[in-house]
Amino acid sequence: MAAVLCMADQPPLLVAVAPTGARKSKSDHPMIPMTPPELAKTAASCLESGATMMHLHVRDADGRHSIFPEHYTPALEAIANEIGDHMVVQVTSESVGIFDRHQQMQAMRSLMPESGSLALRELVPDDTAFADAAKFFSDLDSAGCLIQYIVYSPEEVDRYHQLIDAGIIPQARNLILVVLGRYRGERARLEDLSPFLARNTSNSPWMCCAFGSDELSIMHHVIQAGGHTRVGFENNTQLVSGKQADSNSQMVALTATAASRYDRPLANVRW
């Protein structure tokens, strides 16, 4: 059954946790969850700290990034056994330079998740991909999948609107993820957020993730601007003080505390 986020006059804050990512390992932080039991334990602690969504990455037997159902399913089952249906578990089709768009679509269709995070630049690289993308997005939407479309630049916000206008992206139940900074490269800067928001003319709820040590401070501004937050070790393992965070749940708890400062109640999930 698909998840529905409860909203009120003052939009509740959806806190998503991204605890692993596609590239990091225990060498980056010993508390990065890699196995289904570790992911389930992390989901439980982050739920208790205020997270409503978990952005899930899984690995194959050799520890490499995977998008295939045979690797997602054990993790999804472990998480469900640990926390039931109290959190939206969002899978990703991220290519990481490994999978082409056809492999991504096939994997997501086979899995049919309750929520999926999809990169526009990977699935709709040009106009020749319109027909495949439209059918893919429609299939997921019809199955009740809550789709989050990833935009990596302000220009991709324009692209998002264009694809809605062209009928490629269904208009209902969409989320947008604004990505600031890059993995092992450009660190997110607060001033990079405004150009994204200036171009967003849709009614789609938006979320932000930020690579680098300014992640948590940027989230304060996201909360004030009416956006939603994604925090966790995929993007950053440092506190505002510069010290290394203890756990993903600590990052979630600090974000939840910030929400209370700005009168944003935390979102919950109805089934």
Side-chain angles (χ1 to χ4, degrees):
M1 188 177 297
V4 178
L5 301 177
C6 302
M7 296 295 174
D9 292 338
Q10 175 65 21
L13 177 70
L14 168 57
V15 180
V17 62
T20 307
R23 301 168 178 85
K24 290 184 178 178
S25 67
K26 298 286 188 183
S27 64
D28 294 288
H29 194 294
M31 291 299 291
I32 288 179
M34 304 286 286
T35 65
E38 290 175 342
L39 288 163
K41 183 176 180 181
T42 297
S45 63
C46 290
L47 174 65
E48 184 176 358
S49 296
T52 308
M53 176 181 283
M54 183 175 188
H55 176 75
L56 181 65
H57 283 265
V58 293
R59 308 299 172 86
D60 65 15
D62 296 318
R64 297 173 299 192
H65 168 66
S66 175
I67 60 172
F68 297 128
E70 59 263 34
H71 302 124
Y72 265 125
T73 300
L76 291 168
E77 290 177 347
I79 293 168
N81 288 337
E82 185 72 28
I83 63 170
D85 57 8
H86 296 294
M87 180 183 281
V88 177
V89 182
Q90 179 192 78
V91 306
T92 180
S93 66
E94 187 177 356
S95 70
V96 195
I98 301 172
F99 308 107
D100 64 32
R101 64 187 179 91
H102 300 289
Q103 291 173 303
Q104 291 173 280
M105 290 187 288
Q106 181 179 352
M108 293 299 102
R109 279 196 175 102
S110 297
L111 190 63
M112 276 302 176
E114 65 172 338
S115 181
S117 184
L118 313 175
L120 286 181
R121 63 170 57 177
E122 293 177 357
L123 292 167
V124 201
D126 51 48
D127 293 0
T128 64
F130 274 9
D132 287 342
K135 181 67 166 61
F136 174 60
F137 297 149
S138 177
D139 288 347
L140 265 61
D141 182 68
S142 296
C145 178
L146 179 62
I147 303 175
Q148 182 177 69
Y149 295 93
I150 308 171
V151 293
Y152 291 96
S153 69
E155 291 74 22
E156 288 191 17
V157 178
D158 295 338
R159 177 75 163 165
Y160 173 75
H161 296 142
Q162 291 163 1
L163 292 173
I164 287 180
D165 291 342
I168 308 302
I169 292 178
Q171 295 192 45
R173 303 183 67 249
N174 297 336
L175 299 175
I176 300 173
L177 177 68
V178 171
V179 179
L180 302 182
R182 296 292 182 270
Y183 177 76
R184 293 197 191 283
E186 176 188 350
R187 192 175 80 174
R189 304 176 304 171
L190 176 59
E191 55 264 36
D192 293 333
L193 179 61
S194 294
F196 282 90
L197 303 188
R199 291 177 184 248
N200 183 24
T201 59
S202 76
N203 293 321
S204 302
W206 62 276
M207 178 181 289
C208 182
C209 72
F211 283 91
S213 57
D214 289 332
E215 175 194 48
L216 291 175
S217 60
I218 289 173
M219 291 305 122
H220 281 251
H221 295 274
V222 170
I223 294 168
Q224 292 181 79
H228 301 282
T229 58
R230 196 187 88 178
V231 297
F233 287 174
E234 174 173 351
N235 300 101
N236 169 55
T237 60
Q238 287 185 289
L239 304 174
V240 173
S241 66
K243 293 182 179 180
Q244 184 163 263
D246 295 330
S247 64
N248 279 286
S249 60
Q250 183 182 20
M251 310 294 271
V252 171
L254 290 169
T255 306
T257 298
S260 66
R261 288 181 55 185
Y262 304 113
D263 296 322
R264 292 280 304 275
L266 298 180
N268 55 58
V269 177
R270 287 178 180 167
W271 297 90

